[in-house]
Amino acid sequence: MLSDDEDQNDIAFLADELNRNSKAVLGTPGQSLHARLSKLQDSYDAAQRRIKDLQLANAHLQREAAAARDARQRAQQASADTLSALRRRLAQLETLCAERQHEASSAIARTQRLEVELSSAKLELARLADAN
């Protein structure tokens, strides 16, 4: 895509060419047909060169746009892949955390049972010591 300044320059160039073409066709008094045709051919050639330059610039810009689209798609895919990997890892960590929490709860329950048994054993031992 061309900028507004480039568009204005192209329009001015083509308007100038049209003006010269008109003069070449109409000619000036005393100008031969051959001279008018030569000027017209020169103007036509210049316009053709300008069109070719614009076509080349347009093709270059289209290649740049395609490369930018490809880069954006690759970046989006990489981002999606990374997000997917992070989600999988989060699920693994959540599962591991739940397992560890269950193990910790079981260990706490066992510890509490052992504390109760220990207290009962101490009481029994104290009763037996008092009985002797």
Side-chain angles (χ1 to χ4, degrees):
M1 299 182 109
L2 297 175
S3 69
D4 288 340
D5 289 339
E6 290 172 325
D7 288 343
Q8 291 299 322
N9 289 340
D10 291 338
I11 291 169
F13 173 81
L14 294 174
D16 188 42
E17 287 299 307
L18 180 61
N19 189 26
R20 273 188 279 201
N21 291 344
S22 297
K23 287 180 184 175
V25 171
L26 298 174
T28 57
Q31 189 179 29
S32 70
L33 180 59
H34 184 303
R36 282 186 271 167
L37 287 176
S38 177
K39 276 187 166 184
L40 186 58
Q41 184 66 45
D42 290 345
S43 295
Y44 175 79
D45 291 343
Q48 287 296 98
R49 286 190 301 275
R50 183 66 179 155
I51 288 169
K52 184 177 180 181
D53 290 345
L54 291 172
Q55 287 172 334
L56 290 172
N58 187 41
H60 177 72
L61 291 173
Q62 286 176 346
R63 285 190 301 275
E64 283 184 2
R69 280 191 301 274
D70 290 346
R72 183 188 69 219
Q73 286 175 337
R74 284 191 305 275
Q76 286 173 335
Q77 185 60 47
S79 177
D81 292 347
T82 300
L83 181 59
S84 179
L86 288 173
R87 284 182 177 149
R88 284 191 306 274
R89 183 64 179 145
L90 177 60
Q92 290 171 344
L93 290 173
E94 286 173 339
T95 300
L96 185 61
C97 183
E99 290 171 359
R100 295 293 188 262
Q101 190 172 11
H102 177 71
E103 289 173 11
S105 295
S106 296
I108 290 170
R110 274 193 312 273
T111 303
Q112 289 172 342
R113 281 193 308 273
L114 289 173
E115 285 175 350
V116 168
E117 288 179 27
L118 181 61
S119 293
S120 294
K122 283 180 181 179
L123 287 174
E124 182 66 24
L125 184 60
R127 189 180 59 78
L128 288 173
D130 286 342
N132 283 338

